[in-house]
Amino acid sequence: MSNVCQKINYAEAQANLDEVCNQVVLSRDAVIIEREGSENVALIAADELSSMKETLYLLSSPENAARLFAALEEAGSGNLKPQTLDELLEELENDDED
């Protein structure tokens, strides 16, 4: 998803709704629908919205956000060794016991 949203007016969105919806789904970019005399609205793919809401929820706890960012940093460091599923489950069980 890019940082720049396409903007269209309400009449254009209404006249081309199916095409605009397909564009949003294919491009993964939101489209801002400008409404004269009313607040603008954004058209966004439903799964993109769900993903954003889930991310906001996960980052809403400072403790959880710190753990997630630490895990991302560790994953990007290249210092992790591959594990089998059994090894990972064993590691998680050991963490629960501590």
Side-chain angles (χ1 to χ4, degrees):
M1 184 175 239
S2 72
N3 291 334
V4 179
C5 294
Q6 176 186 357
K7 294 182 180 182
I8 61 173
N9 66 45
Y10 181 83
E12 183 182 347
Q14 188 176 32
N16 302 298
L17 185 58
D18 191 50
E19 182 181 322
V20 174
C21 289
N22 288 337
Q23 174 189 334
V24 166
V25 169
L26 290 173
S27 71
R28 314 314 292 168
D29 289 333
V31 171
I32 304 298
I33 301 172
E34 298 176 325
R35 302 184 310 158
E36 193 172 316
S38 297
E39 285 190 54
N40 296 342
V41 296
L43 184 62
I44 184 170
D47 61 340
E48 290 286 337
L49 177 60
S50 294
S51 178
M52 286 186 224
K53 289 178 75 172
E54 183 175 348
T55 299
L56 286 172
Y57 173 77
L58 292 172
L59 296 177
S60 66
S61 159
E63 185 177 295
N64 196 49
R67 285 196 337 248
L68 289 170
F69 287 124
L72 284 172
E73 189 174 307
E74 184 178 8
S77 72
N79 295 330
L80 295 176
K81 65 177 180 76
Q83 291 180 295
T84 66
L85 180 57
D86 289 336
E87 291 170 335
L88 179 59
L89 290 172
E90 184 179 327
E91 182 179 319
L92 291 172
E93 287 173 2
N94 290 338
D95 283 350
D96 286 343
E97 293 171 3
D98 293 341

